[in-house]
Amino acid sequence: MRDYVVNPVVAELRERIERLEGGVTRSRAVLPFGVPAIDGRLPGGGLALGALHEVAGGGNGAVDGAAAALFAAAVGARSRGKVLWCVTRPDLFAPALAQVGLLPGRVIYVEAGDEKALLSCMEEGLRHGGLGVVVGELARLSMTASRRLQLAAESSGTIGIAVRRWRRQTEASDFGQPTASLTRWRVSVLPSSPLPVPGVGRARWLLELIRCRAGESADFEVEAPDAKGRIALPSELVHGSPQEETGRRRASA
């Protein structure tokens, strides 16, 4: 009986098809969140490098994009190299990005005239190869545009993050349309962590992994990024106290 040997040409074609379909190859490097509960849900144990990811805010955050922007900034803070941030609205608050570890000296800002120009800037930035993360704030992301960004990210190993923002909250339904991004996240603001004395504790988020290629969806109640861009599980959830289930129900609500 004839022994079949894997043809290297066929193997290469299969790998290319997998990349075009947005699949996650075994050799792809990742940027871990440092939270086992989250990293364990992601193929490879972290946010894939050389890939496109989407993030949007929940509730009113679908319009202001504040929590989604901080999520992207925290990823940029933990990455290596400069961060290219593309916008069409000049309302990005640099001091807030610095509070989660993304200092002004690491950010290159690009203000595009419209979203078509913004997508071109993102694609050029992703193909450059000398950047750590490329962030673009946009309302619409078609399958064709997302595939171009995904292929550009794969060619350089740079992380691409599409921060989805809309003019009106009703337009956020576009977030359900299919794209070529590997992961899709939604960040909703929760009441801050309680303190034993009067004051405002560390901000909390409901972090939803809505879609993950080659993985499963999940949601997590987390503390917002610290000065080094690191998110964490609230202490009562880490230690598995009786309040854990109550906290999860409140987060889901």
Side-chain angles (χ1 to χ4, degrees), residues 23-250:
V24 179
T25 59
R26 294 180 181 179
S27 60
R28 173 167 284 160
V30 298
L31 179 66
F33 284 96
V35 181
I38 300 176
D39 291 333
R41 292 279 188 167
L42 298 169
L47 200 66
L49 276 63
L52 176 67
H53 307 275
E54 288 180 77
V55 57
N60 293 331
V63 177
D64 61 51
L70 289 179
F71 177 88
V75 173
R78 294 183 293 106
S79 68
R80 295 182 180 180
K82 296 280 189 177
V83 175
L84 180 68
W85 202 297
C86 307
V87 299
T88 57
R89 288 184 272 181
D91 59 357
L92 191 63
F93 191 55
L97 305 188
Q99 286 184 345
V100 297
L102 186 57
L103 302 179
R106 291 192 55 204
V107 187
I108 302 171
Y109 299 100
V110 174
E111 186 176 342
D114 53 35
E115 292 198 353
K116 182 178 180 180
L118 185 144
L119 287 168
S120 297
C121 292
M122 284 188 69
E123 185 175 348
E124 288 297 321
L126 289 170
R127 292 191 185 280
H128 181 270
L131 300 169
V133 177
V134 173
V135 181
E137 299 184 11
L138 45 86
R140 297 190 178 279
L141 183 63
S142 66
M143 177 61 78
T144 300
S146 64
R147 279 178 175 169
R148 291 182 65 91
L149 295 178
Q150 173 66 26
L151 291 174
E154 289 176 356
S155 68
S156 64
T158 302
I159 294 177
I161 302 179
V163 176
R164 307 295 301 277
R165 292 183 63 186
W166 297 272
R167 298 286 181 179
R168 292 176 293 276
Q169 193 169 348
T170 54
E171 297 175 348
S173 59
D174 184 69
F175 199 47
Q177 298 300 315
T179 64
S181 58
L182 260 66
T183 64
R184 178 178 287 172
W185 305 80
R186 182 163 54 209
V187 188
S188 303
V189 177
L190 296 175
S192 60
S193 300
L195 295 176
V197 295
V200 179
R202 185 172 174 179
R204 289 194 183 190
W205 290 344
L206 172 61
L207 183 60
E208 299 173 84
L209 178 57
I210 297 176
R211 179 178 179 275
C212 179
R213 186 68 59 89
E216 298 180 357
S217 59
D219 60 84
F220 316 90
E221 184 178 337
V222 300
E223 293 182 334
D226 61 13
K228 294 185 178 180
R230 299 172 301 193
I231 61 176
L233 292 180
S235 58
E236 68 268 20
L237 298 187
V238 172
H239 297 101
S241 70
Q243 288 78 23
E244 177 178 356
E245 185 62 29
T246 302
R248 289 188 180 277
R249 286 199 298 267
R250 186 186 69 216

